Amino acid sequence: MLVSIIVPVYNRPDEVADLMKSLRVQTDKGFELVLVEDGSTVMSLPDDYNEEQFRLKYFRKSNEGRSIARNYGIEHAEGDFFVFVDSDCILPPDYVAKLRSCLEKDGVDCFGGPDAAHESFTDMQKAINYSMTAFLTTGGIRGGKVSMEKFTPRTFNMGFSREVYEKVGGFREMFSEDIDMSTRIRLAGFRIALFHEVYLYHKRRVDLKKFWKQVHVFGMSRITLELLYPGSMKLVHWLPAVFTIGCLVLLIGSIFLHWLMIPFGVYVLAFWAGALIETRSIKIAFMAVPAAFVQLWGYGSGFIKAYISKIVLKKGRDINREIEIRKGSNEGL
């Protein structure tokens, strides 16, 4: 079974170089890399690549957005199974071997895997990675642990069979296109699994400002997904908004009742302790605390903004517009 690893990219030559280094040392060579430059002005193909390292299909196309780039990659892939990773990912040497073993053993139609922080990552990247995967921020949705929501594969580490593509179609150009795709796959009756052992290293955002923008969009897109799939929004999706409002109430209330800061402090201490245990670094644990608040407040504010606009005021509820709004954008590739 040939695995096609499909990667859309926009001006990320350094990240692609790291990704390709990790592909050169894969213990299982039963894969091809389909690299799609989506309107890049700086090309990502390293000068030291040669055909003996692994199979590569390299394409350059006009800028149309990451989902369209992924679909373009699918159309030109030869594999029986399509795997999607981001350009800022690094694969462990046994990634392909473990994936092919799991697929042959379990025979699932779609899979998703967790991510981790590589030792080469900056302290901020490690702090953000912990925040994105911690139970106290995401409820375990992204970390491959016990989750408060049914597992949903994400495009930093997910894949599906050619049969799925032929029946369900490709990605739609929209915010949270991976959740939309996973939902359509599940509704079509295909089996989805979490492969804990098929993990990779994901660099994520390199600073808190970019991280805020990313999670703010995530919060807004959750409302779009609810409009697309009524009833899909669960308790865990509300928690960042509740947390955001709760923090605001506590901070204002503490001006008059100082003891209201106690719950705030308990959360900070619990999160810091969890980060310290997980990362074994006092510095990263301290950096993870503001990352957690950026994540929760960013997502929560985006969620509240979109909820008021689209659910309460019923503005911009044209789903076709929601799908088209991402067209031509490369934010987050």
Side-chain angles (χ1 to χ4, degrees):
M1 176 180 61
L2 179 66
V3 172
S4 294
I5 301 175
I6 300 170
V7 183
V9 60
Y10 179 75
N11 290 339
R12 299 287 182 91
D14 293 338
E15 292 179 348
V16 171
D18 289 340
L19 170 62
M20 292 185 69
K21 286 179 183 177
S22 71
L23 291 174
R24 290 172 188 157
V25 295
Q26 289 298 305
T27 58
D28 187 325
K29 301 298 183 181
F31 72 93
E32 66 174 0
L33 172 64
V34 182
L35 191 63
V36 182
E37 297 274 13
D38 186 43
S40 297
T41 57
V42 181
M43 298 304 103
S44 302
L45 187 63
D47 295 332
D48 59 350
Y49 168 77
N50 65 72
E51 296 180 356
E52 296 180 358
Q53 295 170 350
F54 57 82
R55 298 177 61 176
L56 169 68
K57 289 187 174 181
Y58 181 71
F59 300 99
R60 297 171 59 181
K61 59 182 293 298
S62 60
N63 174 230
E64 294 180 279
R66 61 189 178 189
S67 289
I68 295 176
R70 289 192 184 104
N71 294 338
Y72 185 93
I74 293 174
E75 293 169 1
H76 292 82
E78 296 182 19
D80 309 295
F81 202 89
F82 309 124
V83 175
F84 305 91
V85 303
D86 288 342
S87 61
D88 58 352
C89 291
I90 297 175
L91 278 55
D94 57 357
Y95 178 90
V96 175
K98 287 182 176 179
L99 173 59
R100 280 161 52 91
S101 175
C102 288
L103 290 174
E104 291 171 1
K105 179 175 62 177
D106 297 337
V108 300
D109 305 294
C110 174
F111 93 96
D115 66 327
H118 192 268
E119 60 182 12
S120 66
F121 290 1
T122 66
D123 288 341
M124 179 55 71
Q125 286 174 324
K126 292 176 182 177
I128 290 176
N129 184 82
Y130 176 77
S131 178
M132 288 288 282
T133 57
F135 183 81
L136 288 178
T137 49
T138 65
I141 290 176
R142 294 175 141 326
K145 302 169 185 172
V146 176
S147 174
M148 296 174 63
E149 183 198 31
K150 184 179 293 185
F151 174 69
T152 302
R154 310 296 176 100
T155 45
F156 65 81
N157 188 13
M158 75 172 288
F160 49 78
S161 66
R162 184 175 291 275
E163 180 184 358
V164 167
Y165 174 66
E166 291 173 350
K167 182 174 182 179
V168 177
F171 293 92
R172 293 197 277 200
E173 190 63 20
M174 57 180 288
F175 293 121
S176 295
E177 72 283 355
D178 45 7
I179 301 178
D180 169 71
M181 186 69 187
S182 296
T183 301
R184 288 190 282 133
I185 291 172
R186 181 173 283 113
L187 292 176
F190 290 104
R191 191 158 68 94
I192 299 175
L194 166 62
F195 291 162
H196 290 276
E197 61 269 48
V198 186
Y199 68 93
L200 50 67
Y201 304 109
H202 193 190
K203 296 178 184 177
R204 300 191 184 280
R205 291 297 178 262
V206 295
D207 60 57
L208 294 181
K209 182 178 180 180
K210 292 179 180 179
F211 188 40
W212 171 278
K213 291 180 179 179
Q214 181 186 46
V215 294
H216 188 76
V217 167
F218 287 168
M220 295 177 65
S221 67
R222 182 62 255 178
I223 301 303
T224 298
L225 291 166
E226 173 63 16
L227 294 175
L228 279 169
Y229 307 103
S232 63
M233 194 154 58
K234 308 301 180 184
L235 174 62
V236 67
H237 301 128
W238 284 89
L239 293 183
V242 173
F243 182 88
T244 300
I245 295 173
C247 285
L248 182 62
V249 171
L250 289 175
L251 290 173
I252 294 176
S254 65
I255 298 175
F256 309 99
L257 299 171
H258 299 315
W259 61 266
L260 287 177
M261 287 299 293
I262 294 177
F264 192 87
V266 169
Y267 178 85
V268 170
L269 182 60
F271 188 84
W272 179 85
L276 179 62
I277 294 171
E278 182 72 20
T279 66
R280 299 181 181 180
S281 168
I282 295 177
K283 180 181 179 181
I284 295 174
F286 274 114
M287 295 175 74
V289 172
F293 280 95
V294 166
Q295 178 180 332
L296 292 169
W297 289 345
Y299 186 104
S301 60
F303 182 98
I304 293 169
K305 176 182 177 180
Y307 185 87
I308 293 175
S309 174
K310 297 176 182 178
I311 302 296
V312 177
L313 301 180
K314 298 182 179 180
K315 294 182 178 179
R317 292 188 59 169
D318 183 348
I319 299 302
N320 289 326
R321 179 178 179 277
E322 296 295 338
I323 293 173
E324 290 295 325
I325 196 171
R326 281 289 283 166
K327 192 170 184 178
S329 173
N330 287 286
E331 180 69 27
L333 276 183

